[in-house]
Amino acid sequence: MNNAKTKEQHYIPKFYLKNFADSNKKFNIINISKKKPINNITYMSQFKEKYFYDKDNHIENKLSQLETDWANLINKIISGDYPSDEEKKKLKEFAIFQRNRTYYKSEELLEMSWQSQKTLIEMKLTKQNKKISDELLSKMKDKYKKEYPHKVITRAINIAEKNLNIIDDLKVAIIKYDTKSKLISSDNPIVHYNNFDNKSVGYINGGLIIFFPISSEILCVIYDSKIYLELNQDNFIHCKNEYEVKFLNYFQILNAYNFIFFKDDNMTSNLVNELKKNKIQRLLNFPKLKTDILGSDDSKIITFSAQYIYLKHTFSFAKLTQRAKMVPQNAIDWFPRNYDEKYFNGNFKSRKEIVPFLSHLKKKNELKNAVIWTNDEIEKFNKFVIDYWNNKLWIKIM
């Protein structure tokens, strides 16, 4: 029995990196924060850390077994074989695990954990009429981050396993880009997008689209077919839209932790120039995670929300159905794809009750930029959601 341990553990699997490399196993990388390119570097040595998952190899071995199936499937697709329904489930599995095994996710969970710990420390000191300096807090944070990493990535993988069936209802399409421009990828390649409500990118949200490149020419799209026009389910979709590739690459840049990678070194200078654009730089400077701490000195509620960086663009695979287009833009809000009693009795029913209160605050200039829904707009949105849940969106509205 081979008891050797894998020390260097990839958070972007080698089989995936290979699809963006040339025949000499080399590709190109750009450090986003430094805008510094490194051309013709061996992909095997990238996106790995010593014992990134664990020292006993429990998680590493589990992922290695899964990667064998994912690699075989993705290689088949790149070779021209269209995935079966069962294989499409495997693509969803890859998307969920890959989103949760990156540095990006690890840092996000670590920051959430630290903010909770920091709040407890500050509450304890407040009771003692003491304060803590920013310098000492910074040192404590550094120590905390060094001690906590393996617990964080274990938690991230557990999240992936618990969510494996959460996108079973979404459909899958494969798009091949017959374009001069090629797709790039990143160290956080799984993008969540919503052209119906751009802030609603959680796994349960109506209108969710998940997309990711599996090579320089092929994109996998996992989408909500109740919100968007249905795509070809039985064969590759061929697209020649150069402009679409440009925006797909923008989303990889904005979704990345700090690196993008690609096969064609002729793209390097153009990508560096794109990174320098004011619009891209402004979006990249948004915080990755937003934390709100509410409550009194001795009782706190901490809320976290990932800051989704959204670049407005409608992709060919994200065209709204007629019913979705008819929902008033002002009234659109997040909603779960499956009926949820807590949501129904909370957010769903309370929106009308909130309107007078919001209107009052707006008149007092406390919410002067807020968009207030009308009762008619809310009724139309609510009708859409109920029809969505009941699979009746095809019924015409007179």
Side-chain angles (χ1 to χ4, degrees), residues 196-293:
F196 179 70
D197 178 21
N198 60 57
K199 302 179 296 301
S200 300
V201 292
Y203 282 120
I204 68 168
N205 293 141
L208 175 65
I209 296 179
I210 301 170
F211 65 80
F212 54 95
I214 61 172
S215 76
S216 298
E217 294 84 26
I218 299 176
L219 187 79
C220 177
V221 179
I222 302 167
Y223 70 103
D224 182 352
S225 62
K226 293 184 183 180
I227 298 283
Y228 305 105
L229 296 178
E230 194 152 345
L231 302 172
N232 190 331
Q233 300 296 303
D234 303 317
N235 213 331
F236 292 91
I237 299 167
H238 288 265
C239 182
K240 296 184 178 181
N241 190 332
E242 299 281 349
Y243 197 61
E244 177 147 303
V245 172
K246 180 178 181 177
F247 272 85
L248 286 168
N249 290 344
Y250 276 154
F251 271 80
Q252 283 299 322
I253 290 169
L254 296 174
N255 203 57
Y257 180 66
N258 197 32
F259 292 95
I260 54 174
F261 54 89
F262 48 96
K263 181 185 289 188
D264 187 359
D265 57 8
N266 291 322
M267 296 176 65
T268 303
S269 59
N270 283 338
L271 286 168
V272 170
N273 288 336
E274 295 291 344
L275 279 172
K276 292 178 180 177
K277 286 184 175 180
N278 289 336
K279 179 168 63 174
I280 298 298
Q281 282 301 303
R282 178 173 53 82
L283 290 171
L284 286 170
N285 285 328
F286 282 5
K288 301 287 187 185
L289 186 72
K290 184 175 182 290
T291 306
D292 290 312
I293 301 173

Side-chain angles (χ1 to χ4, degrees), residues 160-175:
E161 290 180 317
K162 288 177 181 177
N163 283 324
L164 283 180
N165 298 321
I166 205 166
I167 56 174
D168 279 355
D169 59 306
L170 300 182
K171 294 195 174 179
V172 176
I174 307 294
I175 304 176

Side-chain angles (χ1 to χ4, degrees), residues 114 118 121-122 125 130-141:
W114 163 247
K118 172 175 169 282
I121 293 168
E122 290 174 334
L125 291 173
K130 296 179 181 178
K131 287 189 175 181
I132 188 167
S133 68
D134 290 340
E135 183 181 359
L136 182 55
L137 267 177
S138 180
K139 288 180 180 178
M140 292 174 70
K141 182 178 181 179

Side-chain angles (χ1 to χ4, degrees), residues 17-18 20-28 39-44 262-264:
L17 298 174
K18 175 177 68 70
F20 297 86
D22 61 23
S23 57
N24 294 317
K25 299 183 179 180
K26 292 186 176 181
F27 64 4
N28 311 282
N39 285 338
N40 297 313
I41 186 171
T42 304
Y43 76 82
M44 300 280 285
F262 48 96
K263 181 185 289 188
D264 187 359

